[in-house]
Each structure stands twice: as structure tokens, then as C-alpha cells.
């Protein structure tokens, strides 16, 4: 079928925009990894220039004109065709970008930069009041953003949609509420169990060179390509895909804490393998892009938790781990180690939470954000509301706001509507994983033999290679035959932690 | 004095262009240091896009209009003023840039990126035929570039002028010929001397970690700031200044060869200190830029050779070197070591050549390039022509092309017309150094005490801080009261090597 020339014109424009953004991404990666201290001011100027050029390209009227010419899906092969998906997603992004007044974009960007500085100081001082004026500004601006973008039911929908296209507050609530209802009693039962894994095994001395080597080997073994990627160190671990053939992971090492770097590496490698599995020929267009933050997180959390914290994974890797860390693990059995890396223990800090309690941290934030954007919770009331919820979910109250409502960078950076995607990722991941098990057979037997390619191939075929052809909700239905549900995640958690804790 | 508003408009445009170029430079640095192998194609596309955008900005008619408005130097403070220098140099670059078609610029950029990857592989495989198709493309494109720029006498002039503004093939030949006439008998006399320094001292085992540490310490001691810069590893060592606060050096280590990495580091640090000494407030404009490659090289070669291979330098550093490399240097006297690092011996590799024969390597390349661009030498005939010339200059023939015509990255990167600036740098450097000695007194006494700041301050004040206020020929006359001459270099070489070799 011959596609209209406006289609190839659009693809060419998107590709140039993608290249420009990938330059921004490399500069951002370098900023976090190798930039010398005095280079920060120049870097800010470079990034501002590239962001301006990218915004100009993304909102250029020519893209609107090409999209208008392509509004009829028939010459593209019908509404379900790949070209129609490209047009649909491009239209969505273009609409969103052009609805935002330039002044609001600039004000948000400026406020986010200053607000992050204020947040760093406030967290250090354990002082919510110090951050309050900035939170008020951010929430006010995000409300304006939601109004500019538009919504049907909840203002919050307009913000959620940026990170998880197609999702709404109502849908998220319908999925997350039953999850909470089942999670809270599970957490309570585990807390009462007599089984107490010895997590202190993991805070012995783990020489950093050996951690680096072992983590790299594991990332490679599960399928991350070092021919098309790297693993470096950064203060805040992340994965940055630049485009075909180049994906950068970072982690951070602590000699006294094995899980941080190791599971962080598996997590980022999970993100990285998604990036490496995108179809290179569609780079720059929605067909060569990841679907949503939730789907992205489904990949990272799957490799980190469903694979990396499984008994079968360690059946394969534990002998090597003992060889790499003879001092720490020489006298530790596989079973003790497996239980240690799966210790469930309520904690103040989200990023240090285990597989079970993690989602409660997210639910709390999801509810707080809705209240803030709807105006039902005033920014000044955040600490009280936070601590009350925390008490009811975890049975304990944060001793200060640095361990409570100002622990995360997200709000200060203007990322409101983002948190839910972490738990969506856990749910998508569990649902995909259950389906992969059905399709592929005994995954555990494969992992125990160090065979990870069948799972990765399955993800490549069913998810990665599709780009944004399907939106997230459609994807999960297409692959698993069911809409997104909390059940596969709860089944996984109940089975796994039931066995560990005897509950 | 109040400058016209068109002047500040021009400065703003140049600054934005400078930022865009500095993004290109970071991508180029990353390509040589950390980019994964499969990232080459994406990088080529990214760099081509940025090169295209930079070319658009550099050749935008608005710059031409602003320059026309600023053609009268009187409101700028007269023709000798700093603003007039900015306008003069901008006009020169604008004239050159507007002569190059956009398509040629992008094609050159893309070809250079891919060609460098091919060169790396070809050098590794010691296979010129593997590199030949790329060399043919590059030469063809550089011929087109020369034709687009235009020239009066030699096509090659148009290329030389990019790196050494104001220079021509004829002038270079006129400067290099007397140098060769004095150099050849000196090389011959040294070859016949009974003094034979024991260079094998330098090919003992020098553990790479210690080399890295020692080289870094020396670079810092002579004045390179690691707060505003880095030192990494790359196949072909280089210095890339990105802008204020960020300058990247690279070197390469060989456990069996001390001088390669160490003097390479001093060399690149010399470049880096020039970059770090540029006036930050003029970033992006000619007043914040280095003058020419010859002047750039005068800095690197000065720190590498006139400082780093001096007896006084090693009076200070040798005890530390013996501590760092006890196995290799424990039983070696300062005098033996000093002679070893100054051994004159014809070698295959330019970057490893001694101070005396180095310039013969340059003359060979200078002649090859003229032939290639004029069309008198076909790319396919390069190995034969190279080996023939090498035999006549050095009395030996390279055993393979990795030690011959594909040893340098330059051609693969599209850098044709560049090599002569290395020897110009040696001449400028010697002339500046002789003047610094006059102005500052006993430099050797300072070096022996580890005091390098007086020389660096002198260079900052006389050269670095001036940006492009003066062109190279004017600068050398202003500082030394004399036009560029081969005499200070020959005086230095005759004195130093006369003493070592008793000739």
C-alpha cells in the first residue's frame, strides 16, 4: 500500500525531533555521570537551548497541517493500522503540547527548578513549612495545566494522562482500591508472622569492584546488551534510552548494602531492555517509542522482582554470588539469602520499600495528589493528612516530614500524576508475567538453568516491538485476554510471601 | 562607551550558536570515550542534525545583516578595539560558512562520524583497504569543500585556512623549508653521535593504575583544573573544550610504554589550560575562542616538550615517578631517565616521536595532503606514496599500514589541512617560551621547585585571555616583537640535544 506523502513528511519531522531530544538525553546523562562540577551552568544553558528548539519543532504548525491531512485513516490502511496508530499518538501529543500556553510552560519550568532547590533544603532541614510556599505554587500551576489541557470528570485526569495516556482517576481508583483492600491484611499478617528473615546478611561488606562485576554479569545474563548500552554510576539511578543502539543505565554502590546496587541494576536493565527492544526503524515516531510510564515500569519491576527476587533466579546465580562475595556469603545458605532479599518490613521511605509494602506507599501518594488537585486537601494540610494515612496503612506515624511527606522529589519537580504509574507497573508486570508463564511453561525451571532468553523474546514480541501501536489498556487485553486487574499481582504476592512467612 | 544594539544582538546570536556547537562537542567526546559500539549510526544522525542546525544559525542572513550594520568600526571604538575584533572574526567565519552548501556540511558530518568507526576497525585490522572507501569519500568531500570556499593559488589553501586563518600553502612551505634545512643535519649528527640514551627504560612495566594516578597528578600540578575538566581514555587522545567550566582531555595507556600516556597527558593538558584560560564572559564569540590550531598547539607542545621534557621538570617530578614506578625506575638515575625521555630515534608513530624527528612526520603528511587534494595522489596510492616518503625521510619503511598511513585519526574525521599546524605550534611555542624566559627570569629554577604558575599566568595574560583579539601572526609579533621564525625552535633543539648528544 502506498502511503500519502504527508505521512512520510510527518515521519521525517518526528524523526528530526527525536534526534534533537536524544541529544538532550545524552547531555542529561552526562550531567549525572561525568560532567565536572564547574560545568553545571554551561549545561543548564545548553539544555535550555535544546529544549527551546525541541519545543519549537514539536508545536510547529506544519505538524498540525500534516496531521489534518492524515485525519482520514482509510488511506493509511484503516483505524487499526500501524500508520493510523502513529497519527493517533502524534495527534495526542501535539494536542497536549499546543494546548499549553508558552507562558505557563516557562513558569512551570522555572518554578520546578527553584522548587527543587527549596525541596533539597527543606528535606535537609526536615521542615515542611519551608517547602510549603513552593508546593502551593506547584499545585496551583498544575491545576492551571490541567485546565489548559482539559478533562471530562476529574481535573487530576488531565495530569495522569501525561504519564499514562488513556488512564483516568476513576479507572485508576477502580484498580487500586481492591489492591489496597487485599494488601493491608497481608502486610498485617506478615508483621505477625514468627518468621523473621535475617536482612543483616545484606549489610555485610560487599566490595564495590565485585558488586560492579557481578551486577554487570547479571544484567548481561538476563539480556541487556552492552554492545548497545552501558552501565555507569550516578547519585540517582536511572535508565536513559538515547535511541537505536544506545541505552545508558546507572546505579550506585554502597559497600555495606548489597541489594541497592544489584536490584537497582536489574531494575534499570529491565527498563533498558524495553528501550533496546523498540523497533529501530520507527525511531522518533510513536511506533518506536515506549507506551507509558506504567508499561515501562512493568518491565523494570518484572526483572527486578518477579525474576530477580525469585528463588529460581538465585538457584542459578547464588553460587556465583558466593564466589564473588565469599566473606559476606560464604556461610549463608541459599534459603537464608532468598529470604533476606525478600524481607518484608514497613519502612518510612518508599524507595527502600519491599515488594509488598511498596504499593501502599504509592496508594497513599495517589490519594494525596487527587485531593490536592481537586482542592479537597490544602497544601498546608499535607503533613497531617499524610501522617494519618500512613498510620492507617502501616500502623506507624513518620517521626518527621523528611521521613514523611517531603521524602520524594516528584512534587517539587512538577511531577504530579506520576506516582500511580509505579503500582500500575507492578500490576501490568504481574499480569504479563502470569501470561508468559502460561505461554512458555515452567519459567522457574528456565531461570534455574540461567535461561532468560525465552522470557525476553516473549516481551520483545508481545510488548517491545509494538511501540505505541496499542495503548496500555488495549495492550494488556490483547496479550492476556483480560483488562488490567490487581489479581495477578495479589496472587503472586500471596503465593510468594505466604510461602516465605507461612501466612 | 555605548555599543550599538546590533552589536549585542550579534553577541546573543553567536552565544546561541556557541551553545549548539558545544552540544556537538559533547556528543563528539562521548563518541570517542563512552558510546557503546552499536550507537555509531544514531550518533552520526544526531551530529548531522546538530551540524545542520549550527550551519543554519551560522549562515543565517540576520548575521550578515548585523555584520553589515557593524561594518563601520568607529562606533565600536575603532579598528583596533575589542568589539571590532569580534566583528572582524565573525565576518571571516560567516564568509566561509555561507560559501558551504548545507547538504555538503551534513554529508561531511555524517561521513566523518561513520568513517572514524571504520578507521578504528581498519587500524585494528592493520588493513588500509578496509579504510580506503572512506578515505576516497572524505577526500572527495574535502575537494568539494575547497571548491566551495574558493582559493587563489592552491585548492589546499582553502582547507589550510580553516585551521590557521591567514595561512596559505605557499607561506607554510616558506616557513617549513628553512626548518627542514636545519633539522636534517641535526638529525644526522645525532644519529652519528656515540651517545645512546637507553630508551628501553621506558618500556619496562608501568602499571596502568599508577600511570593514571601519576599523569593526573602532573596535569593538576602544571595547572589543569579538574573542577572544570576531566581526563578519560580514548583510542586517539584529544582535548575537547566544551565551554566555561568544562574541558575534556583523553589519553591512552600502555603498560609497556611510559611516555605515550604521560607526555600525551601533558600535551592535552596544555591544550586544556588554553581552553580553561579563555574569557568565560565572551563564550560563543571570537573573543572567547582560541586563535588557531597553530597557537593551540603552541600551548600543548610547550607543556609537553619545553616544560615536560626539561631536566628541571624532572628534578621536581622524578622522585615521585620513582615512588610510583619502583619496579621500573628504582635503579635508574635522573640523568638516565632525562636522556631516555629525550632519546632521538626515528619511529613509525607520529604521536610517539621525539621532539626532533616529530617535524619530519608533519612534513610528510603536509606533502601527502597537498597531493591528495590537488589530485596528484589517488587515495588508493596512499600506502605506496607514504612508505616511499617515509623511507626517504627516516631511512626505513613501515611494516604495516597501522604503523604507516592509517595511524592517525585526522583524515577519517575530515581533518585535512590540519597537520602543518603541529609544526607551526612547535615554532610558535618555542618563540613564546623564549620570551617568557626573558620576562620571567629563571624558569628552570621555578620548574625544579614545582612552580608552574608563573608560566601559566604569563600565558593566561599574554595569550589565553585575549581570545581572537589578535590573529596569530599579529599575536606573535605583539608578544615577542618579532614575526614567526623557525630560529627559536632550532636554537632550543640545538642547545638541548647538542648538550645531550654532544653534537
Amino acid at each position: 500500500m502506498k502511503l500519502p506523502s504527508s505521512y512520510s513528511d510527518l515521519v521525517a519531522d518526528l524523526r528530526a525531533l527525536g534526534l534533537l531530544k536524544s541529544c538532550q538525553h545524552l547531555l542529561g546523562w552526562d550531567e549525572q555521570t561525568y560532567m565536572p562540577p564547574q560545568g553545571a551552568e554551561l549545561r543548564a544553558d545548553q539544555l535550555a537551548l535544546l529544549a527551546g528548539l525541541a519545543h519549537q519543532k514539536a508545536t510547529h504548525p506544519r505538524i498540525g497541517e500534516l496531521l489534518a491531512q492524515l485525519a482520514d485513516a482509510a488511506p493509511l490502511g484503516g483505524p487499526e493500522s500501524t500508520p493510523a496508530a502513529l497519527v493517533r499518538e502524534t495527534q495526542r501529543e501535539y494536542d497536549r503540547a499546543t494546548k499549553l500556553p508558552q507562558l505557563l510552560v516557562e513558569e512551570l519550568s522555572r518554578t520546578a527548578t527553584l522548587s527543587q532547590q527549596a525541596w533539597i533544603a527543606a528535606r535537609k532541614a526536615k521542615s515542611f513549612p519551608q517547602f510549603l510556599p513552593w508546593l502551593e505554587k506547584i499545585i496551583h500551576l498544575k491545576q492551571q495545566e490541567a485546565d489548559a489541557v482539559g478533562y471530562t470528570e476529574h481535573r487530576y485526569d488531565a495530569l495522569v494522562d501525561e504519564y499514562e495516556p488513556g488512564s483516568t482517576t476513576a479507572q485508576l481508583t477502580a484498580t487500586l482500591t481492591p489492591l489496597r483492600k487485599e494488601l493491608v491484611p497481608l502486610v498485617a499478617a506478615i508483621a505477625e508472622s514468627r518468621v523473621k528473615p535475617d536482612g543483616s546478611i545484606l549489610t555485610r561488606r560487599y566490595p564495590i569492584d565485585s558488586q560492579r562485576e557481578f551486577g554487570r554479569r547479571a544484567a548481561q545474563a538476563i539480556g541487556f546488551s552492552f554492545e548497545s548500552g552501558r552501565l555507569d554510576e550516578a547519585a540517582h539511578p536511572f535508565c536513559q534510552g538515547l535511541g537505536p543502539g544506545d541505552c545508558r543505565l546507572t546505579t550506585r554502590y554502597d559497600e555495606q548494602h548489597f541489594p541497592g546496587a544489584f536490584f537497582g541494576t536489574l531494575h534499570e536493565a529491565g527498563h533498558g531492555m524495553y528501550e533496546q527492544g523498540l523497533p529501530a526503524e520507527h525511531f522518533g515516531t510513536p511506533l518506536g517509542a515506549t507506551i507509558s510510564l506504567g508499561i515501562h515500569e512493568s518491565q523494570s519491576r518484572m526483572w527486578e522482582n518477579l525474576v530477580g527476587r525469585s528463588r529460581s533466579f538465585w538457584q542459578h546465580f547464588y553460587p556465583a554470588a558466593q564466589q564473588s562475595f565469599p566473606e559476606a556469603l560464604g556461610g549463608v545458605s541459599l534459603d537464608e539469602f532468598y529470604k533476606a532479599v525478600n524481607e518484608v518490613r514497613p519502612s518510612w521511605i518508599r524507595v527502600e520499600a519491599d515488594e509488598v509494602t511498596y504499593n501502599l506507599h504509592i496508594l497513599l501518594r495517589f490519594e494525596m495528589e487527587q485531593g490536592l488537585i481537586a482542592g479537597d486537601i490544602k497544601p498546608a494540610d499535607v503533613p497531617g493528612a499524610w501522617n494519618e494515612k500512613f498510620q492507617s496503612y502501616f500502623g506507624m506515624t513518620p517521626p518527621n516530614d523528611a521521613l514523611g511527606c517531603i521524602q520524594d522529589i516528584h512534587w517539587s519537580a512538577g511531577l504530579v500524576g506520576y506516582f500511580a504509574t509505579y503500582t500500575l507497573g507492578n500490576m501490568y508486570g504481574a499480569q504479563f508475567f502470569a501470561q508468559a508463564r502460561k505461554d512458555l511453561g515452567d519459567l522457574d525451571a528456565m531461570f534455574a538453568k540461567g535461561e532468560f532468553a525465552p522470557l525476553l523474546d516473549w516481551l520483545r514480541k508481545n510488548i517491545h516491538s509494538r511501540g505505541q501501536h496499542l495503548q496500555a489498556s488495549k495492550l494488556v487485553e490483547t496479550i492476556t485476554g483480560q483488562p488490567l486487574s490487581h489479581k495477578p499481582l495479589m496472587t503472586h504476592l500471596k503465593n510468594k510471601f505466604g510461602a516465605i512467612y507461612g501466612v
Side-chain angles (χ1 to χ4, degrees), chain A:
Chain A
M1 197 180 88
K2 178 138 175 49
L3 292 164
S5 68
S6 42
Y7 184 80
S8 45
D9 290 349
L10 181 64
V11 167
D13 280 2
L14 293 175
R15 197 179 146 75
L17 176 58
L19 283 172
L20 202 50
K21 285 184 182 168
S22 74
C23 295
Q24 288 177 265
H25 295 155
L26 181 73
L27 268 71
W29 169 85
D30 180 79
E31 187 182 347
Q32 306 293 329
T33 50
Y34 294 116
M35 185 185 78
Q38 294 297 317
E41 206 175 318
L42 174 68
R43 184 56 42 86
D45 289 344
Q46 291 170 319
L47 282 170
L49 179 89
L50 293 184
L53 290 173
H55 182 71
Q56 273 174 29
K57 266 193 198 293
T59 59
H60 200 283
R62 180 183 143 94
I63 292 188
E65 288 157 21
L66 291 170
L67 285 169
Q69 290 167 30
L70 295 163
D72 176 11
L76 300 174
E80 303 301 318
S81 69
T82 314
L86 181 145
V87 171
R88 176 196 74 217
E89 291 300 315
T90 305
Q91 184 77 58
R92 195 182 56 72
E93 283 170 28
Y94 181 75
D95 288 347
R96 188 172 179 101
T98 50
K99 276 181 191 163
L100 294 177
Q102 181 74 20
L103 278 177
L104 179 61
V105 172
E106 285 173 13
E107 182 66 9
L108 260 166
S109 156
R110 192 175 306 112
T111 305
T113 305
L114 298 172
S115 170
Q116 282 177 68
Q117 300 304 311
W119 169 74
I120 289 168
R123 194 174 70 148
K124 205 171 174 183
K126 304 182 175 62
S127 160
F128 175 79
Q130 213 173 304
F131 180 56
L132 176 57
W134 293 100
L135 182 61
E136 284 172 336
K137 260 183 218 172
I138 291 278
I139 295 298
H140 182 62
L141 288 167
K142 295 305 282 188
Q143 288 170 332
Q144 287 180 261
E145 181 183 332
D147 292 344
V149 170
Y151 54 89
T152 326
E153 199 177 352
H154 298 283
R155 225 184 201 173
Y156 188 59
D157 292 350
L159 302 180
V160 165
D161 189 72
E162 182 175 0
Y163 307 111
E164 200 63 25
S167 278
T168 63
T169 312
Q171 287 169 349
L172 285 173
T173 306
T175 328
L176 297 176
T177 305
L179 180 68
R180 189 189 56 203
K181 285 193 180 148
E182 297 194 40
L183 263 183
V184 171
L186 178 62
V187 171
I190 289 171
E192 282 162 24
S193 163
R194 283 194 184 168
V195 181
K196 301 288 174 204
D198 179 9
S200 76
I201 291 165
L202 306 174
T203 58
R204 294 174 179 175
R205 203 175 77 86
Y206 291 82
I208 287 177
D209 278 351
S210 306
Q211 284 194 53
R212 200 177 279 122
E213 171 59 24
F214 185 69
R216 193 186 152 93
R217 229 192 312 160
Q220 191 148 28
I222 62 174
F224 180 79
S225 161
F226 284 91
E227 283 290 300
S228 300
R230 298 186 48 82
L231 173 60
D232 296 274
E233 289 174 50
H236 304 280
F238 62 92
C239 161
Q240 181 63 69
L242 299 179
D246 200 342
C247 176
R248 315 271 172 120
L249 315 180
T250 65
T251 191
R252 61 179 167 210
Y253 299 96
D254 175 348
E255 198 180 55
Q256 308 289 332
H257 192 244
F258 172 77
F262 184 76
F263 292 108
T265 298
L266 293 190
H267 180 96
E268 302 308 338
H271 282 303
M273 290 187 288
Y274 187 7
E275 297 279 342
Q276 290 184 334
L278 295 170
E281 68 275 21
H282 292 306
F283 170 71
T285 79
L287 299 176
T290 60
I291 294 175
S292 69
L293 289 185
I295 300 297
H296 225 311
E297 200 69 13
S298 77
Q299 304 303 291
S300 55
R301 304 285 291 179
M302 185 188 298
W303 288 103
E304 176 192 356
N305 290 329
L306 304 180
V307 179
R309 290 186 204 262
S310 70
R311 190 184 287 272
S312 53
F313 179 90
W314 288 107
Q315 280 167 355
H316 175 68
F317 276 105
Y318 195 60
Q322 285 185 306
Q323 280 197 331
S324 293
F325 311 106
E327 197 188 303
L329 298 177
V332 175
S333 74
L334 169 61
D335 191 63
E336 289 170 304
F337 182 79
Y338 169 67
K339 285 181 175 154
V341 300
N342 285 296
E343 187 189 12
V344 176
R345 185 211 294 256
S347 62
W348 313 114
I349 299 291
R350 174 184 60 86
V351 295
E352 292 165 7
D354 57 80
E355 227 180 314
V356 182
T357 59
Y358 186 90
N359 299 296
L360 291 178
H361 287 272
I362 298 305
L363 284 158
L364 185 155
R365 287 156 178 79
F366 172 63
E367 290 161 6
M368 294 290 297
E369 286 186 350
Q370 284 178 69
L372 281 164
I373 295 300
D376 303 335
I377 300 175
K378 299 285 164 232
D381 299 332
V382 160
W386 181 288
N387 293 349
E388 195 180 311
K389 274 185 196 292
F390 204 90
Q391 178 67 42
S392 87
Y393 291 168
F394 293 92
M396 56 196 208
T397 297
N400 64 58
D401 295 331
L403 294 173
C405 65
I406 54 171
Q407 65 180 267
D408 293 307
I409 197 174
H410 299 61
W411 294 343
S412 77
L415 302 173
V416 180
Y418 187 115
F419 279 118
T421 65
Y422 291 124
T423 286
L424 282 181
N426 286 330
M427 294 195 293
Y428 284 130
Q431 193 159 337
F432 291 144
F433 197 69
Q435 186 63 41
R437 219 185 264 286
K438 277 188 207 154
D439 293 352
L440 299 172
D442 192 350
L443 283 180
D444 285 317
M446 296 175 198
F447 298 166
K449 284 186 284 182
E451 292 169 8
F452 303 98
L455 177 60
L456 180 57
D457 290 345
W458 187 92
L459 295 169
R460 289 262 192 269
K461 174 172 158 284
N462 285 290
I463 303 174
H464 307 175
S465 63
R466 282 185 153 126
Q468 297 181 352
H469 191 168
L470 303 175
Q471 282 204 335
S473 56
K474 198 75 180 284
L475 179 77
V476 76
E477 285 201 49
T478 303
I479 296 175
T480 70
Q482 302 286 331
L484 177 65
S485 155
H486 69 290
K487 282 177 190 153
L489 177 59
M490 279 314 305
T491 303
H492 159 72
L493 294 176
K494 280 178 184 165
N495 287 343
K496 176 174 176 179
F497 293 93
I500 293 174
Y501 281 92
V503 296

